[in-house]
Structure formats: C-alpha cells, structure tokens
Amino acid sequence: MERFEWTVDPAQDGLRLDKFLADGLPAMSRSMLQRLCEDGKAAVNGRSGKKNERLKTGCKVALELPDPVELDVLPENIPLDIVYEDPYLL
C-alpha cells in the first residue's frame, strides 16, 4: 500500500478534496480518486474525508492507494468471417 501526504497551502484554500487530490496525483482520474474517498482511503486532519469536502489552509490530507489487484484475463478464440480484404484494408 502506498501512502501520500500533503498540507493545504493558501493557494489551494477552498478546493474540494477530490480536486485537490487530482491536482496532487495527475496520473490518476478524478473519478478513481472520488471512489477512494468513498472507500475511506482519504483522510483530512486524521478523519475520513468526503469527496466534496472543502479544504482550508493548513489541513493535513492523506491518501492510501491500495495495492493493484491482478486480473485473470485469458484470450478467447473467436471465429471471424472476413467480408472484404485488399492490400489497404483488412
């Protein structure tokens, strides 16, 4: 499990928690961060934070990212009928 911690600065005062997290972790989607908030993985000043909570300067924000889950995805042999084929189009 990976843990991130931030302190809200004056320029971020009034931001929603999910927007603040999206700014801090741009590689993650905002909807994924909202789901983590709903699952109790985000904390504001030591208590569980809601995704729409407005942050104030000096708040301590923490986020725990769960370990990735390995998926068992196997390919299937699906018969396909080729309707048209030429050198430019398959």
Side-chain angles (χ1 to χ4, degrees):
M1 190 172 297
E2 195 171 0
R3 183 175 173 86
F4 296 92
E5 294 182 0
W6 300 270
T7 301
V8 179
D9 63 35
Q12 299 164 319
D13 189 72
L15 280 180
R16 286 173 45 123
L17 177 59
D18 58 346
K19 172 70 172 131
F20 176 85
L21 294 172
D23 290 346
L25 297 169
M28 294 188 70
S29 71
R30 192 164 170 182
S31 61
M32 176 62 176
L33 292 166
Q34 289 174 343
R35 202 169 318 122
L36 290 172
C37 290
E38 291 168 0
D39 293 343
K41 302 294 185 189
V44 178
N45 294 328
R47 60 171 174 64
S48 184
K50 295 182 179 179
K51 65 183 178 185
N52 61 351
E53 180 175 346
R54 298 285 176 173
L55 301 174
K56 298 189 184 305
T57 302
C59 286
K60 305 288 185 192
V61 178
L63 178 70
E64 290 183 357
L65 292 180
D67 293 327
V69 177
E70 196 166 319
L71 301 175
D72 294 331
V73 180
L74 301 174
E76 289 184 42
N77 187 11
I78 302 172
L80 297 174
D81 295 327
I82 298 176
V83 178
Y84 179 80
E85 180 179 358
D86 67 15
Y88 306 104
L89 178 67
L90 176 65

